[in-house]
Every structure is written in C-alpha cells, then in structure tokens.
Amino acid sequence: MFKIVRSPNFPTRVQRNLMKALNDTSVFVVTDKVLKDMVIASPSWYKDRDFCDKFLEWYYNTFIWTRDINYVHMGFMFFNPKDAELYKNSIIQRDRIGYKIYGARLFRLPLSKAYKMRCTSRPRLQMVFVPDYQELTKVITKYLNDPYIIPHPKQECSYKKRYFRGTPIYMIHPYNATIKGKVFKNLEFSAYTDENSIKYPVVFFSRREADKMWREFIRFYRKNGIKVEGSYPKLILYNLEDLLIDCEENDFDPLFVPNDRITQDFLHKYYNEYPEEYAIDKVE
C-alpha cells in the first residue's frame, strides 16, 4: 500500500495545475444505477461493530482524519474497463438481491477527479488505482527483463519475484541525435507550449503508446534531416502513485498521453447504455 495522500489544504496551486494535466485521461468505476454512488468495498465484519468500536471510529474520524487506523474501506478505480467489468460481475454474483434493487454499471471518470477523490476522501476510505491487468502482467513477466526498459530509481519491482508496486507508467529515456553533422547526447523527450516554452515530461500508460509516439517522433525528424539513434526507445518504468507525489513535491506538470485504444473500446461498448450520464465534467 502507498502512504495516505489526503490533503487538508486541497487544492493547492500545484494540485490545481496537476488536475488540469490529468483532465484528458480516464479511469473507470462501478456505481449503482439508482443512487449513482460508487460501489465501496468494506471489511466483511464491518456490520458487527459494537458501541466501543463505533465511538473509537468517531474519535479517529474527527481528530485524526488524515491517517487511517485499524480498518479501511476501499474504492477501486480501474484503468481498463474490462477489469472494471469483471469487478462489477463479481459484485453481482455476491449480492444478487442488492443488484436487483440498485443495479450496477460502469462509469467513466476523468483522472483529475479520481486524483481529487484520493486527496479528499473521508476517513477510512482509500481510493485505490487498479492498473490494467494485461499491461501489469507484461511488466512483471517480460518488461522487467527487457534491456530497453529501465526501472526508475525509486521503483519497487523484481522480475524474479514477479513484483511491481503501483500503476505502471512509461517515460522515454534521454536519447542521442545527430543534427547537421553534430552529435547531441542525452536529449530529453519533452513537450513544449508556445505560451511559456516550459518543458513538460511526457507520460504514457502503456508501452504500446510509447512505442507508437517514438515511431512518429523519429519519422518526423528524419524528414527534416535529423538522425535519431534507436529504432525502439529506451523507456523509464515508474508508477503513477509515486509520480503524482513527485509532481506535488517538485512542482511540475507532466503531459499524460491517454491510452486511446482502451478509451475507444469503452465508448463503443458502454457509451450508448447511459449516453446522457457519461458526459465528462472536467476540472477547470
């Protein structure tokens, strides 16, 4: 588990800018159809609390709300709607009566709002990112042993133990290029804006998207007579949860590249079921 990220002063200026950077990326949650509330997972014994348990819960919730003591409830936010669909089906199997009364559906949520929910969740409720299962499987069975993949110095992972902590993300490693006969080394793969010429690190949620961007990148520069070394990029492998903390602590905003294939799959399969309710309300 990651450390609790509740922020009493949310949103700070840095967090507000970070939410804007997260607007165009989505996660998927399971909600009911009647109250439209997100489905929350609770400990199996939660309903059997006595007066003492409830009093201690009230005390901790009121005075020590930034830390979770004893037990927690969890809200799961999925990066792949197929994984969210499996979770929804498991809920239906466990509570058929509740499903008949309230129903269950998938809801597409901007990553900016998911980030806000993590920072402002009530005591004992932790909002958890659930990585794309297929992508995570590739990471622990293939990518961690790939010479083109370089784990971030802060990333906890092990190929031998099949272990990776967090939601995988990728950044293109500094590269070398030859421009007009002169070699430039360790160039950063960054995005620029015309407004302020600030460099924005580019973050991908799948290796497929990173490789696709790299092919477009070298094709563009080769047309302009610039030679970029490497047909395939070296990628820095990190996790989203720690990256968000790094952004807050160091005041920088990456450019997040959405996984278009996953988003399009979701829209084609689920959008028509509740078209008026799937409009995404972005953070301004």
Side-chain angles (χ1 to χ4, degrees), residues 203-248:
V203 176
F204 305 89
F205 289 92
S206 72
R207 185 176 187 176
R208 176 178 176 272
E209 294 294 331
D211 287 343
K212 178 181 176 182
M213 177 70 79
W214 180 257
R215 288 193 297 270
E216 293 296 327
F217 172 74
I218 60 176
R219 185 180 298 117
F220 173 79
Y221 276 98
R222 283 173 179 171
K223 286 181 178 179
N224 291 276
I226 300 173
K227 182 180 179 182
V228 179
E229 292 183 8
S231 299
Y232 297 94
K234 286 190 174 182
L235 300 175
I236 300 171
L237 178 62
Y238 198 24
N239 71 82
L240 177 64
E241 292 84 350
D242 283 332
L243 177 68
L244 293 176
I245 294 174
D246 292 345
C247 291
E248 292 179 347

mmCIF file of all heavy atoms in Angstrom, residues 203-248:
data_model
loop_
_atom_site.group_PDB
_atom_site.id
_atom_site.type_symbol
_atom_site.label_atom_id
_atom_site.label_comp_id
_atom_site.label_asym_id
_atom_site.label_seq_id
_atom_site.Cartn_x
_atom_site.Cartn_y
_atom_site.Cartn_z
ATOM 1 N N VAL A 203 4.253 11.342 -20.302
ATOM 2 C CA VAL A 203 3.984 10.111 -19.550
ATOM 3 C C VAL A 203 2.982 9.257 -20.325
ATOM 4 O O VAL A 203 1.943 9.752 -20.772
ATOM 5 C CB VAL A 203 3.432 10.430 -18.148
ATOM 6 C CG1 VAL A 203 3.054 9.144 -17.410
ATOM 7 C CG2 VAL A 203 4.446 11.229 -17.345
ATOM 8 N N PHE A 204 3.293 7.967 -20.471
ATOM 9 C CA PHE A 204 2.428 7.022 -21.174
ATOM 10 C C PHE A 204 1.928 5.955 -20.204
ATOM 11 O O PHE A 204 2.624 5.586 -19.258
ATOM 12 C CB PHE A 204 3.193 6.343 -22.317
ATOM 13 C CG PHE A 204 3.817 7.296 -23.297
ATOM 14 C CD1 PHE A 204 5.105 7.792 -23.092
ATOM 15 C CD2 PHE A 204 3.130 7.700 -24.428
ATOM 16 C CE1 PHE A 204 5.685 8.673 -23.990
ATOM 17 C CE2 PHE A 204 3.704 8.578 -25.341
ATOM 18 C CZ PHE A 204 4.980 9.073 -25.115
ATOM 19 N N PHE A 205 0.732 5.426 -20.484
ATOM 20 C CA PHE A 205 0.158 4.394 -19.625
ATOM 21 C C PHE A 205 0.323 2.989 -20.200
ATOM 22 O O PHE A 205 -0.090 2.023 -19.565
ATOM 23 C CB PHE A 205 -1.318 4.687 -19.370
ATOM 24 C CG PHE A 205 -1.539 5.872 -18.478
ATOM 25 C CD1 PHE A 205 -1.699 7.142 -19.021
ATOM 26 C CD2 PHE A 205 -1.552 5.730 -17.103
ATOM 27 C CE1 PHE A 205 -1.879 8.235 -18.204
ATOM 28 C CE2 PHE A 205 -1.726 6.828 -16.279
ATOM 29 C CZ PHE A 205 -1.899 8.083 -16.819
ATOM 30 N N SER A 206 0.901 2.886 -21.388
ATOM 31 C CA SER A 206 1.197 1.573 -21.957
ATOM 32 C C SER A 206 2.451 1.675 -22.817
ATOM 33 O O SER A 206 2.757 2.742 -23.375
ATOM 34 C CB SER A 206 0.022 1.049 -22.799
ATOM 35 O OG SER A 206 -0.078 1.765 -24.017
ATOM 36 N N ARG A 207 3.167 0.581 -22.913
ATOM 37 C CA ARG A 207 4.365 0.566 -23.756
ATOM 38 C C ARG A 207 3.972 0.741 -25.215
ATOM 39 O O ARG A 207 4.702 1.355 -25.990
ATOM 40 C CB ARG A 207 5.123 -0.747 -23.555
ATOM 41 C CG ARG A 207 6.439 -0.778 -24.311
ATOM 42 C CD ARG A 207 7.231 -2.032 -24.046
ATOM 43 N NE ARG A 207 8.553 -1.934 -24.653
ATOM 44 C CZ ARG A 207 9.496 -2.866 -24.525
ATOM 45 N NH1 ARG A 207 9.257 -3.947 -23.812
ATOM 46 N NH2 ARG A 207 10.670 -2.691 -25.110
ATOM 47 N N ARG A 208 2.825 0.218 -25.577
ATOM 48 C CA ARG A 208 2.344 0.329 -26.961
ATOM 49 C C ARG A 208 2.228 1.796 -27.377
ATOM 50 O O ARG A 208 2.646 2.172 -28.476
ATOM 51 C CB ARG A 208 0.986 -0.362 -27.071
ATOM 52 C CG ARG A 208 0.306 -0.240 -28.423
ATOM 53 C CD ARG A 208 -1.009 -1.006 -28.425
ATOM 54 N NE ARG A 208 -1.738 -0.838 -29.682
ATOM 55 C CZ ARG A 208 -2.586 0.152 -29.921
ATOM 56 N NH1 ARG A 208 -2.820 1.057 -28.994
ATOM 57 N NH2 ARG A 208 -3.212 0.235 -31.083
ATOM 58 N N GLU A 209 1.662 2.632 -26.506
ATOM 59 C CA GLU A 209 1.509 4.047 -26.829
ATOM 60 C C GLU A 209 2.859 4.751 -26.886
ATOM 61 O O GLU A 209 3.068 5.642 -27.715
ATOM 62 C CB GLU A 209 0.602 4.725 -25.789
ATOM 63 C CG GLU A 209 -0.844 4.247 -25.808
ATOM 64 C CD GLU A 209 -1.555 4.622 -27.092
ATOM 65 O OE1 GLU A 209 -1.206 5.644 -27.700
ATOM 66 O OE2 GLU A 209 -2.471 3.879 -27.501
ATOM 67 N N ALA A 210 3.783 4.372 -26.004
ATOM 68 C CA ALA A 210 5.117 4.982 -26.011
ATOM 69 C C ALA A 210 5.867 4.637 -27.300
ATOM 70 O O ALA A 210 6.498 5.501 -27.925
ATOM 71 C CB ALA A 210 5.908 4.520 -24.788
ATOM 72 N N ASP A 211 5.802 3.369 -27.713
ATOM 73 C CA ASP A 211 6.461 2.954 -28.957
ATOM 74 C C ASP A 211 5.838 3.660 -30.170
ATOM 75 O O ASP A 211 6.540 4.043 -31.116
ATOM 76 C CB ASP A 211 6.354 1.437 -29.136
ATOM 77 C CG ASP A 211 7.258 0.676 -28.174
ATOM 78 O OD1 ASP A 211 8.178 1.299 -27.620
ATOM 79 O OD2 ASP A 211 7.024 -0.533 -27.975
ATOM 80 N N LYS A 212 4.522 3.796 -30.145
ATOM 81 C CA LYS A 212 3.821 4.468 -31.242
ATOM 82 C C LYS A 212 4.273 5.930 -31.353
ATOM 83 O O LYS A 212 4.543 6.429 -32.450
ATOM 84 C CB LYS A 212 2.319 4.390 -30.996
ATOM 85 C CG LYS A 212 1.468 5.095 -32.035
ATOM 86 C CD LYS A 212 -0.013 4.981 -31.675
ATOM 87 C CE LYS A 212 -0.876 5.758 -32.652
ATOM 88 N NZ LYS A 212 -2.315 5.679 -32.279
ATOM 89 N N MET A 213 4.368 6.608 -30.220
ATOM 90 C CA MET A 213 4.820 8.003 -30.214
ATOM 91 C C MET A 213 6.257 8.108 -30.711
ATOM 92 O O MET A 213 6.603 9.026 -31.471
ATOM 93 C CB MET A 213 4.700 8.578 -28.810
ATOM 94 C CG MET A 213 5.203 10.001 -28.660
ATOM 95 S SD MET A 213 4.158 11.209 -29.494
ATOM 96 C CE MET A 213 2.822 11.358 -28.303
ATOM 97 N N TRP A 214 7.115 7.175 -30.326
ATOM 98 C CA TRP A 214 8.513 7.198 -30.742
ATOM 99 C C TRP A 214 8.647 7.047 -32.258
ATOM 100 O O TRP A 214 9.446 7.738 -32.889
ATOM 101 C CB TRP A 214 9.282 6.092 -30.034
ATOM 102 C CG TRP A 214 10.730 6.030 -30.407
ATOM 103 C CD1 TRP A 214 11.335 5.142 -31.244
ATOM 104 C CD2 TRP A 214 11.766 6.914 -29.954
ATOM 105 N NE1 TRP A 214 12.676 5.398 -31.349
ATOM 106 C CE2 TRP A 214 12.975 6.481 -30.565
ATOM 107 C CE3 TRP A 214 11.804 8.013 -29.104
ATOM 108 C CZ2 TRP A 214 14.190 7.115 -30.334
ATOM 109 C CZ3 TRP A 214 13.018 8.647 -28.873
ATOM 110 C CH2 TRP A 214 14.193 8.204 -29.492
ATOM 111 N N ARG A 215 7.853 6.160 -32.850
ATOM 112 C CA ARG A 215 7.908 5.969 -34.308
ATOM 113 C C ARG A 215 7.506 7.249 -35.036
ATOM 114 O O ARG A 215 8.133 7.624 -36.038
ATOM 115 C CB ARG A 215 6.994 4.811 -34.718
ATOM 116 C CG ARG A 215 7.517 3.432 -34.315
ATOM 117 C CD ARG A 215 6.755 2.322 -35.015
ATOM 118 N NE ARG A 215 5.348 2.306 -34.653
ATOM 119 C CZ ARG A 215 4.849 1.622 -33.631
ATOM 120 N NH1 ARG A 215 5.660 0.904 -32.860
ATOM 121 N NH2 ARG A 215 3.550 1.635 -33.381
ATOM 122 N N GLU A 216 6.474 7.907 -34.533
ATOM 123 C CA GLU A 216 6.055 9.170 -35.141
ATOM 124 C C GLU A 216 7.138 10.234 -34.960
ATOM 125 O O GLU A 216 7.397 11.040 -35.868
ATOM 126 C CB GLU A 216 4.748 9.651 -34.504
ATOM 127 C CG GLU A 216 3.541 8.771 -34.790
ATOM 128 C CD GLU A 216 3.195 8.754 -36.272
ATOM 129 O OE1 GLU A 216 3.395 9.793 -36.940
ATOM 130 O OE2 GLU A 216 2.742 7.701 -36.768
ATOM 131 N N PHE A 217 7.776 10.220 -33.822
ATOM 132 C CA PHE A 217 8.820 11.194 -33.499
ATOM 133 C C PHE A 217 10.017 11.071 -34.441
ATOM 134 O O PHE A 217 10.461 12.056 -35.042
ATOM 135 C CB PHE A 217 9.246 10.986 -32.043
ATOM 136 C CG PHE A 217 10.446 11.773 -31.616
ATOM 137 C CD1 PHE A 217 10.354 13.136 -31.394
ATOM 138 C CD2 PHE A 217 11.672 11.149 -31.422
ATOM 139 C CE1 PHE A 217 11.474 13.874 -30.992
ATOM 140 C CE2 PHE A 217 12.780 11.868 -31.022
ATOM 141 C CZ PHE A 217 12.683 13.227 -30.816
ATOM 142 N N ILE A 218 10.554 9.853 -34.597
ATOM 143 C CA ILE A 218 11.743 9.695 -35.440
ATOM 144 C C ILE A 218 11.390 9.867 -36.917
ATOM 145 O O ILE A 218 12.220 10.342 -37.705
ATOM 146 C CB ILE A 218 12.437 8.331 -35.200
ATOM 147 C CG1 ILE A 218 11.516 7.170 -35.514
ATOM 148 C CG2 ILE A 218 12.937 8.242 -33.771
ATOM 149 C CD1 ILE A 218 12.205 5.812 -35.378
ATOM 150 N N ARG A 219 10.156 9.523 -37.312
ATOM 151 C CA ARG A 219 9.734 9.731 -38.699
ATOM 152 C C ARG A 219 9.715 11.224 -39.028
ATOM 153 O O ARG A 219 10.171 11.656 -40.094
ATOM 154 C CB ARG A 219 8.361 9.117 -38.929
ATOM 155 C CG ARG A 219 7.906 9.186 -40.400
ATOM 156 C CD ARG A 219 6.537 8.561 -40.572
ATOM 157 N NE ARG A 219 6.527 7.147 -40.218
ATOM 158 C CZ ARG A 219 5.816 6.629 -39.233
ATOM 159 N NH1 ARG A 219 5.042 7.415 -38.497
ATOM 160 N NH2 ARG A 219 5.866 5.348 -38.979
ATOM 161 N N PHE A 220 9.222 12.024 -38.114
ATOM 162 C CA PHE A 220 9.154 13.474 -38.314
ATOM 163 C C PHE A 220 10.555 14.072 -38.440
ATOM 164 O O PHE A 220 10.831 14.882 -39.334
ATOM 165 C CB PHE A 220 8.395 14.127 -37.157
ATOM 166 C CG PHE A 220 8.424 15.631 -37.182
ATOM 167 C CD1 PHE A 220 7.580 16.343 -38.023
ATOM 168 C CD2 PHE A 220 9.306 16.331 -36.371
ATOM 169 C CE1 PHE A 220 7.617 17.728 -38.048
ATOM 170 C CE2 PHE A 220 9.343 17.712 -36.390
ATOM 171 C CZ PHE A 220 8.498 18.420 -37.230
ATOM 172 N N TYR A 221 11.461 13.682 -37.537
ATOM 173 C CA TYR A 221 12.780 14.284 -37.545
ATOM 174 C C TYR A 221 13.635 13.807 -38.709
ATOM 175 O O TYR A 221 14.476 14.560 -39.217
ATOM 176 C CB TYR A 221 13.481 14.024 -36.204
ATOM 177 C CG TYR A 221 13.066 15.040 -35.159
ATOM 178 C CD1 TYR A 221 12.084 14.756 -34.227
ATOM 179 C CD2 TYR A 221 13.649 16.299 -35.135
ATOM 180 C CE1 TYR A 221 11.687 15.692 -33.291
ATOM 181 C CE2 TYR A 221 13.272 17.253 -34.214
ATOM 182 C CZ TYR A 221 12.283 16.940 -33.290
ATOM 183 O OH TYR A 221 11.896 17.878 -32.386
ATOM 184 N N ARG A 222 13.438 12.583 -39.137
ATOM 185 C CA ARG A 222 14.201 12.096 -40.297
ATOM 186 C C ARG A 222 13.808 12.839 -41.561
ATOM 187 O O ARG A 222 14.633 13.047 -42.459
ATOM 188 C CB ARG A 222 14.000 10.594 -40.457
ATOM 189 C CG ARG A 222 14.804 9.782 -39.458
ATOM 190 C CD ARG A 222 14.478 8.296 -39.510
ATOM 191 N NE ARG A 222 15.282 7.557 -38.546
ATOM 192 C CZ ARG A 222 15.087 6.278 -38.240
ATOM 193 N NH1 ARG A 222 14.104 5.604 -38.830
ATOM 194 N NH2 ARG A 222 15.865 5.694 -37.361
ATOM 195 N N LYS A 223 12.540 13.253 -41.651
ATOM 196 C CA LYS A 223 12.105 14.067 -42.786
ATOM 197 C C LYS A 223 12.822 15.406 -42.816
ATOM 198 O O LYS A 223 12.976 16.022 -43.868
ATOM 199 C CB LYS A 223 10.596 14.299 -42.716
ATOM 200 C CG LYS A 223 9.762 13.075 -43.080
ATOM 201 C CD LYS A 223 8.278 13.416 -43.017
ATOM 202 C CE LYS A 223 7.435 12.223 -43.428
ATOM 203 N NZ LYS A 223 5.974 12.534 -43.350
ATOM 204 N N ASN A 224 13.261 15.873 -41.635
ATOM 205 C CA ASN A 224 13.946 17.161 -41.537
ATOM 206 C C ASN A 224 15.466 17.005 -41.445
ATOM 207 O O ASN A 224 16.158 17.931 -41.011
ATOM 208 C CB ASN A 224 13.433 17.924 -40.308
ATOM 209 C CG ASN A 224 11.994 18.390 -40.483
ATOM 210 O OD1 ASN A 224 11.729 19.441 -41.064
ATOM 211 N ND2 ASN A 224 11.056 17.584 -39.983
ATOM 212 N N GLY A 225 15.948 15.804 -41.827
ATOM 213 C CA GLY A 225 17.398 15.611 -41.896
ATOM 214 C C GLY A 225 18.068 15.376 -40.563
ATOM 215 O O GLY A 225 19.290 15.482 -40.450
ATOM 216 N N ILE A 226 17.292 15.058 -39.523
ATOM 217 C CA ILE A 226 17.853 14.804 -38.195
ATOM 218 C C ILE A 226 17.842 13.302 -37.935
ATOM 219 O O ILE A 226 16.815 12.642 -38.075
ATOM 220 C CB ILE A 226 17.040 15.534 -37.110
ATOM 221 C CG1 ILE A 226 17.074 17.052 -37.367
ATOM 222 C CG2 ILE A 226 17.581 15.212 -35.712
ATOM 223 C CD1 ILE A 226 16.178 17.842 -36.447
ATOM 224 N N LYS A 227 18.981 12.757 -37.562
ATOM 225 C CA LYS A 227 19.098 11.333 -37.300
ATOM 226 C C LYS A 227 18.979 11.081 -35.806
ATOM 227 O O LYS A 227 19.761 11.603 -35.011
ATOM 228 C CB LYS A 227 20.435 10.798 -37.823
ATOM 229 C CG LYS A 227 20.592 9.293 -37.629
ATOM 230 C CD LYS A 227 21.933 8.805 -38.162
ATOM 231 C CE LYS A 227 22.082 7.305 -37.928
ATOM 232 N NZ LYS A 227 23.404 6.815 -38.410
ATOM 233 N N VAL A 228 17.986 10.277 -35.423
ATOM 234 C CA VAL A 228 17.797 9.912 -34.018
ATOM 235 C C VAL A 228 18.220 8.470 -33.842
ATOM 236 O O VAL A 228 17.819 7.583 -34.597
ATOM 237 C CB VAL A 228 16.320 10.087 -33.591
ATOM 238 C CG1 VAL A 228 16.131 9.676 -32.138
ATOM 239 C CG2 VAL A 228 15.881 11.526 -33.805
ATOM 240 N N GLU A 229 19.056 8.214 -32.827
ATOM 241 C CA GLU A 229 19.541 6.865 -32.602
ATOM 242 C C GLU A 229 18.431 5.976 -32.033
ATOM 243 O O GLU A 229 17.682 6.380 -31.151
ATOM 244 C CB GLU A 229 20.726 6.888 -31.623
ATOM 245 C CG GLU A 229 21.972 7.548 -32.179
ATOM 246 C CD GLU A 229 23.138 7.478 -31.203
ATOM 247 O OE1 GLU A 229 23.007 6.777 -30.173
ATOM 248 O OE2 GLU A 229 24.164 8.132 -31.460
ATOM 249 N N GLY A 230 18.357 4.752 -32.554
ATOM 250 C CA GLY A 230 17.444 3.769 -31.985
ATOM 251 C C GLY A 230 16.117 3.651 -32.705
ATOM 252 O O GLY A 230 15.374 4.628 -32.796
ATOM 253 N N SER A 231 15.826 2.451 -33.227
ATOM 254 C CA SER A 231 14.517 2.220 -33.834
ATOM 255 C C SER A 231 13.442 2.048 -32.766
ATOM 256 O O SER A 231 12.266 2.288 -33.003
ATOM 257 C CB SER A 231 14.569 0.963 -34.717
ATOM 258 O OG SER A 231 15.510 1.127 -35.752
ATOM 259 N N TYR A 232 13.882 1.615 -31.578
ATOM 260 C CA TYR A 232 12.978 1.470 -30.448
ATOM 261 C C TYR A 232 13.487 2.344 -29.305
ATOM 262 O O TYR A 232 14.695 2.478 -29.096
ATOM 263 C CB TYR A 232 12.904 0.017 -29.984
ATOM 264 C CG TYR A 232 12.334 -0.920 -31.027
ATOM 265 C CD1 TYR A 232 13.171 -1.620 -31.888
ATOM 266 C CD2 TYR A 232 10.963 -1.101 -31.150
ATOM 267 C CE1 TYR A 232 12.661 -2.477 -32.843
ATOM 268 C CE2 TYR A 232 10.438 -1.951 -32.100
ATOM 269 C CZ TYR A 232 11.283 -2.637 -32.941
ATOM 270 O OH TYR A 232 10.777 -3.475 -33.901
ATOM 271 N N PRO A 233 12.599 2.940 -28.546
ATOM 272 C CA PRO A 233 13.051 3.806 -27.454
ATOM 273 C C PRO A 233 13.402 3.020 -26.206
ATOM 274 O O PRO A 233 12.857 1.949 -25.954
ATOM 275 C CB PRO A 233 11.807 4.671 -27.196
ATOM 276 C CG PRO A 233 10.663 3.750 -27.489
ATOM 277 C CD PRO A 233 11.122 2.901 -28.653
ATOM 278 N N LYS A 234 14.347 3.547 -25.443
ATOM 279 C CA LYS A 234 14.522 3.049 -24.087
ATOM 280 C C LYS A 234 13.506 3.784 -23.202
ATOM 281 O O LYS A 234 13.340 4.993 -23.326
ATOM 282 C CB LYS A 234 15.950 3.302 -23.596
ATOM 283 C CG LYS A 234 16.979 2.377 -24.229
ATOM 284 C CD LYS A 234 18.331 2.494 -23.544
ATOM 285 C CE LYS A 234 19.299 1.449 -24.107
ATOM 286 N NZ LYS A 234 20.624 1.506 -23.430
ATOM 287 N N LEU A 235 12.837 3.032 -22.346
ATOM 288 C CA LEU A 235 11.752 3.596 -21.550
ATOM 289 C C LEU A 235 12.062 3.509 -20.060
ATOM 290 O O LEU A 235 12.558 2.485 -19.576
ATOM 291 C CB LEU A 235 10.442 2.860 -21.839
ATOM 292 C CG LEU A 235 9.946 2.893 -23.283
ATOM 293 C CD1 LEU A 235 8.705 2.017 -23.429
ATOM 294 C CD2 LEU A 235 9.637 4.329 -23.717
ATOM 295 N N ILE A 236 11.766 4.588 -19.365
ATOM 296 C CA ILE A 236 11.854 4.595 -17.902
ATOM 297 C C ILE A 236 10.525 4.076 -17.360
ATOM 298 O O ILE A 236 9.462 4.609 -17.692
ATOM 299 C CB ILE A 236 12.132 6.011 -17.374
ATOM 300 C CG1 ILE A 236 13.461 6.533 -17.936
ATOM 301 C CG2 ILE A 236 12.157 6.022 -15.843
ATOM 302 C CD1 ILE A 236 13.708 8.002 -17.650
ATOM 303 N N LEU A 237 10.574 3.045 -16.563
ATOM 304 C CA LEU A 237 9.373 2.431 -15.994
ATOM 305 C C LEU A 237 9.191 2.919 -14.559
ATOM 306 O O LEU A 237 10.079 2.766 -13.720
ATOM 307 C CB LEU A 237 9.508 0.905 -16.036
ATOM 308 C CG LEU A 237 8.376 0.087 -15.433
ATOM 309 C CD1 LEU A 237 7.059 0.335 -16.160
ATOM 310 C CD2 LEU A 237 8.734 -1.407 -15.483
ATOM 311 N N TYR A 238 8.029 3.495 -14.284
ATOM 312 C CA TYR A 238 7.751 4.068 -12.953
ATOM 313 C C TYR A 238 6.299 3.759 -12.620
ATOM 314 O O TYR A 238 5.620 3.019 -13.346
ATOM 315 C CB TYR A 238 8.023 5.575 -13.004
ATOM 316 C CG TYR A 238 8.203 6.262 -11.667
ATOM 317 C CD1 TYR A 238 8.606 5.557 -10.532
ATOM 318 C CD2 TYR A 238 7.983 7.644 -11.547
ATOM 319 C CE1 TYR A 238 8.798 6.211 -9.319
ATOM 320 C CE2 TYR A 238 8.161 8.294 -10.334
ATOM 321 C CZ TYR A 238 8.572 7.578 -9.233
ATOM 322 O OH TYR A 238 8.743 8.229 -8.024
ATOM 323 N N ASN A 239 5.806 4.312 -11.518
ATOM 324 C CA ASN A 239 4.395 4.113 -11.170
ATOM 325 C C ASN A 239 3.698 5.454 -10.957
ATOM 326 O O ASN A 239 4.314 6.433 -10.520
ATOM 327 C CB ASN A 239 4.248 3.209 -9.943
ATOM 328 C CG ASN A 239 4.697 3.887 -8.660
ATOM 329 O OD1 ASN A 239 3.946 4.655 -8.063
ATOM 330 N ND2 ASN A 239 5.923 3.618 -8.235
ATOM 331 N N LEU A 240 2.413 5.497 -11.280
ATOM 332 C CA LEU A 240 1.641 6.738 -11.245
ATOM 333 C C LEU A 240 1.529 7.305 -9.837
ATOM 334 O O LEU A 240 1.639 8.529 -9.650
ATOM 335 C CB LEU A 240 0.243 6.481 -11.805
ATOM 336 C CG LEU A 240 -0.719 7.674 -11.769
ATOM 337 C CD1 LEU A 240 -0.213 8.799 -12.663
ATOM 338 C CD2 LEU A 240 -2.119 7.244 -12.188
ATOM 339 N N GLU A 241 1.326 6.452 -8.855
ATOM 340 C CA GLU A 241 1.112 6.929 -7.497
ATOM 341 C C GLU A 241 2.301 7.746 -6.984
ATOM 342 O O GLU A 241 2.123 8.838 -6.422
ATOM 343 C CB GLU A 241 0.844 5.742 -6.560
ATOM 344 C CG GLU A 241 -0.478 5.033 -6.810
ATOM 345 C CD GLU A 241 -0.425 3.986 -7.928
ATOM 346 O OE1 GLU A 241 0.598 3.935 -8.664
ATOM 347 O OE2 GLU A 241 -1.389 3.217 -8.074
ATOM 348 N N ASP A 242 3.507 7.222 -7.187
ATOM 349 C CA ASP A 242 4.695 7.959 -6.736
ATOM 350 C C ASP A 242 4.965 9.173 -7.618
ATOM 351 O O ASP A 242 5.463 10.197 -7.139
ATOM 352 C CB ASP A 242 5.922 7.037 -6.737
ATOM 353 C CG ASP A 242 5.935 6.099 -5.537
ATOM 354 O OD1 ASP A 242 5.375 6.465 -4.491
ATOM 355 O OD2 ASP A 242 6.507 4.994 -5.652
ATOM 356 N N LEU A 243 4.652 9.082 -8.910
ATOM 357 C CA LEU A 243 4.846 10.230 -9.791
ATOM 358 C C LEU A 243 3.986 11.414 -9.345
ATOM 359 O O LEU A 243 4.447 12.563 -9.351
ATOM 360 C CB LEU A 243 4.511 9.866 -11.232
ATOM 361 C CG LEU A 243 4.605 11.027 -12.224
ATOM 362 C CD1 LEU A 243 6.055 11.471 -12.393
ATOM 363 C CD2 LEU A 243 4.005 10.665 -13.569
ATOM 364 N N LEU A 244 2.737 11.161 -8.953
ATOM 365 C CA LEU A 244 1.864 12.248 -8.502
ATOM 366 C C LEU A 244 2.432 12.931 -7.267
ATOM 367 O O LEU A 244 2.367 14.158 -7.134
ATOM 368 C CB LEU A 244 0.464 11.706 -8.213
ATOM 369 C CG LEU A 244 -0.320 11.205 -9.430
ATOM 370 C CD1 LEU A 244 -1.648 10.596 -9.000
ATOM 371 C CD2 LEU A 244 -0.550 12.338 -10.433
ATOM 372 N N ILE A 245 3.008 12.146 -6.361
ATOM 373 C CA ILE A 245 3.643 12.734 -5.175
ATOM 374 C C ILE A 245 4.859 13.558 -5.588
ATOM 375 O O ILE A 245 5.080 14.667 -5.076
ATOM 376 C CB ILE A 245 4.045 11.629 -4.185
ATOM 377 C CG1 ILE A 245 2.786 10.948 -3.628
ATOM 378 C CG2 ILE A 245 4.872 12.205 -3.042
ATOM 379 C CD1 ILE A 245 3.083 9.749 -2.742
ATOM 380 N N ASP A 246 5.649 13.048 -6.533
ATOM 381 C CA ASP A 246 6.812 13.797 -7.029
ATOM 382 C C ASP A 246 6.367 15.128 -7.645
ATOM 383 O O ASP A 246 7.024 16.163 -7.454
ATOM 384 C CB ASP A 246 7.558 12.990 -8.081
ATOM 385 C CG ASP A 246 8.242 11.762 -7.506
ATOM 386 O OD1 ASP A 246 8.373 11.685 -6.265
ATOM 387 O OD2 ASP A 246 8.624 10.876 -8.294
ATOM 388 N N CYS A 247 5.256 15.103 -8.388
ATOM 389 C CA CYS A 247 4.748 16.326 -9.010
ATOM 390 C C CYS A 247 4.376 17.358 -7.943
ATOM 391 O O CYS A 247 4.647 18.554 -8.090
ATOM 392 C CB CYS A 247 3.525 16.019 -9.877
ATOM 393 S SG CYS A 247 3.887 15.072 -11.363
ATOM 394 N N GLU A 248 3.733 16.906 -6.888
ATOM 395 C CA GLU A 248 3.329 17.818 -5.809
ATOM 396 C C GLU A 248 4.540 18.397 -5.086
ATOM 397 O O GLU A 248 4.580 19.590 -4.778
ATOM 398 C CB GLU A 248 2.445 17.075 -4.808
ATOM 399 C CG GLU A 248 1.088 16.673 -5.348
ATOM 400 C CD GLU A 248 0.258 15.922 -4.331
ATOM 401 O OE1 GLU A 248 0.819 15.498 -3.292
ATOM 402 O OE2 GLU A 248 -0.939 15.748 -4.558
#
